[in-house]
Amino acid sequence: EEARRNFWICDHHGLITTARDPSTMHNETAMKYARPETKYEKADLVTAAEAARPTALLGFSTAHGIFTDRLLKRVQHYASHEQLRPLILPMSNPTSNAECTHAEAVFATNGRAIVATGSPFPDADHDGILYPNNQANNIYTFPGIALGAVAGQCERVSDGMVMAAAEALSKHTMDVYGDANRMICLNPNDQKPIRLFPPLEGARNAAVDVAVGVVVQAAEEGLVRRHRTGALEVLENKGEMSLRRYIERWMWSAKYASISFSAATVRS
């Protein structure tokens, strides 16, 4: 409930408040986040931002360019006042539908924003610093979620398992880049680039960590099928390190034996 009170949701009409008629909305679920400030009903993004003073922008609108330079600068100002780095997440794809580009977010906030995009964008060079684009792609979690669900013979994939996957990915990323990356995130005046996801060449290791987190959470929820030599028994009797090795055995590896061909004699 506390988290919900901190969200200000806008649709194509503008800010959603309790004055909105739910029957006019495409997604009535958004009414759960309706603001009590009815005087801002259908306010545009900038007006809503002036009222909310947000430190983060989440874009799922498919409305190209809706995160304007003016809006991004305001969010940077509000975040700086709270001693935070602004969080800018234009998640819409393809690139033609993105709320802003990676470079636009970097330039407008003078390199201080923590940016992740739903679409692929080139890295941005700002004041001689190269800011790598963090594409929030499901390649980082979906394989691990599926691997964990299969290895654990889970009855279903719950919301808790998906959250555990996200948390496992976050921990894996911190382990890869170290504590320095976390400190950069916490310093509101830092302009150093931030890596939010592990390198793609390490995706298999990330998938295993995610799968372990998924199975552990599923076990807590009673969703792992009990089997004499299954994941649940390994977890209960031998711990998470053994569970990791158990899960690794479920992974497919693209390794093939070398095959050589000799020239065949063709007779007419």
Side-chain angles (χ1 to χ4, degrees), residues 37-183:
E37 298 88 349
T38 55
K39 68 177 180 179
Y40 294 112
E41 169 64 23
K42 296 184 179 180
D44 61 30
L45 268 180
V46 172
T47 302
E50 290 173 345
R53 299 180 65 84
T55 58
L57 289 176
L58 286 75
F60 306 98
S61 67
T62 70
H64 175 69
I66 199 169
F67 289 176
T68 62
D69 184 76
R70 178 185 177 193
L71 177 62
L72 293 168
K73 281 182 165 61
R74 283 184 180 274
V75 174
Q76 159 60 25
H77 172 73
Y78 300 141
S80 178
H81 183 74
E82 298 292 334
Q83 291 296 297
L84 297 170
R85 294 185 74 162
L87 182 63
I88 311 297
L89 304 174
M91 290 289 103
S92 295
N93 53 60
T95 53
S96 58
N97 290 344
E99 289 78 10
C100 70
T101 68
H102 169 63
E104 287 168 345
V106 170
F107 295 158
T109 62
N110 198 28
R112 289 184 170 85
I114 299 173
V115 186
T117 63
S119 295
F121 286 104
D123 298 342
D125 190 320
H126 178 62
D127 285 347
I129 301 175
L130 188 65
Y131 292 86
N133 181 48
N134 294 292
Q135 186 184 357
N137 194 292
N138 55 29
I139 190 175
Y140 293 109
T141 54
F142 279 17
I145 292 173
L147 177 61
V150 171
Q153 301 182 53
C154 301
E155 298 176 7
R156 58 187 175 86
V157 176
S158 68
D159 289 346
M161 291 162 66
V162 174
M163 180 61 73
E167 292 173 349
L169 176 64
S170 175
K171 182 179 184 303
H172 175 87
T173 304
M174 295 304 297
D175 290 343
V176 169
Y177 295 116
D179 196 55
N181 201 58
R182 183 178 69 86
M183 297 307 296

Side-chain angles (χ1 to χ4, degrees), residues 223-243:
L223 298 176
V224 180
R225 185 178 302 171
R226 187 172 289 280
H227 188 274
R228 185 169 58 85
T229 58
L232 184 59
E233 287 66 32
V234 172
L235 176 62
E236 289 178 341
N237 298 324
K238 299 181 179 180
E240 289 189 22
M241 287 303 297
S242 293
L243 175 63

